[in-house]
Amino acid sequence: MSPSYDVPMGSALDEARAALATGDVPIGAVVLDPGGAVIGRGRNVREADADPTGHAEVVALRVAAKAIGSWRLEGCTLVVTLEPCTMCAGAAVLARVDRVVFGAHDDKAGAVGSLWDVVRDRRLNHRPEVVAGVMAAESSALLDGFFREQRAP
């Protein structure tokens, strides 16, 4: 039986909700160590930090790497509320995470199967396992609400 990622995805959703306070797109991420403990947390901070690389996944991977003292996150799992983009999928591959778990698919920019499939590209020397659709409805609802408010008059 495969493990449930609902609890860590709940933590990622908490991070996503916290991004709302800074006007950032509500995307959150956590990194789990091989035993399942959270060693990195991140939320979108592009607006808050005026940083184009301030994606939740990149922030969480940086925190996790610092926590263990190595950029190699072998045995770790990246859990994120939205399918990673090309930058974030590439960061997951370069960090050597064992798996990427995500909630909602991103048909416009997803690089873990929707638009591209960076993490499973056979030309790369590392290919994380992918678990898709964990708490997808909750992740989608948070994003839909955010963008609905952005479009409101």
Side-chain angles (χ1 to χ4, degrees):
M1 183 171 128
S2 63
S4 170
Y5 293 104
D6 287 356
V7 171
M9 185 61 76
S11 295
L13 282 163
D14 289 343
E15 291 295 325
R17 288 183 199 96
L20 291 169
T22 59
D24 278 287
V25 177
I27 300 170
V30 296
V31 176
L32 309 176
D33 72 8
V38 175
I39 58 169
R41 295 177 182 278
R43 65 182 71 115
N44 271 9
V45 293
R46 290 189 313 166
E47 298 296 333
D49 293 355
D51 179 0
T53 67
H55 290 207
E57 301 94 322
V58 171
V59 173
L61 289 168
R62 285 178 181 154
V63 171
K66 190 168 189 171
I68 67 167
S70 175
W71 62 267
R72 290 179 184 89
L73 298 176
E74 294 161 339
C76 294
T77 300
L78 172 64
V79 179
V80 60
T81 57
L82 182 66
E83 179 182 357
C85 69
T86 53
M87 176 181 69
C88 295
V93 169
L94 293 173
R96 309 289 197 272
V97 298
D98 277 14
R99 81 195 40 76
V100 174
V101 176
F102 69 88
H105 283 85
D106 184 352
D107 295 332
K108 294 181 181 175
V112 185
S114 289
L115 190 56
W116 297 285
D117 202 350
V118 171
V119 299
R120 290 179 277 221
D121 190 319
R122 294 223 173 264
R123 295 170 292 183
L124 299 175
N125 66 345
H126 180 75
R127 289 181 295 280
E129 172 190 357
V130 174
V131 179
V134 176
M135 297 178 72
E138 293 88 335
S139 297
S140 293
L142 190 57
L143 288 161
D144 290 347
F146 173 79
F147 287 114
R148 192 170 27 259
E149 273 197 32
Q150 295 295 309
R151 291 187 297 270

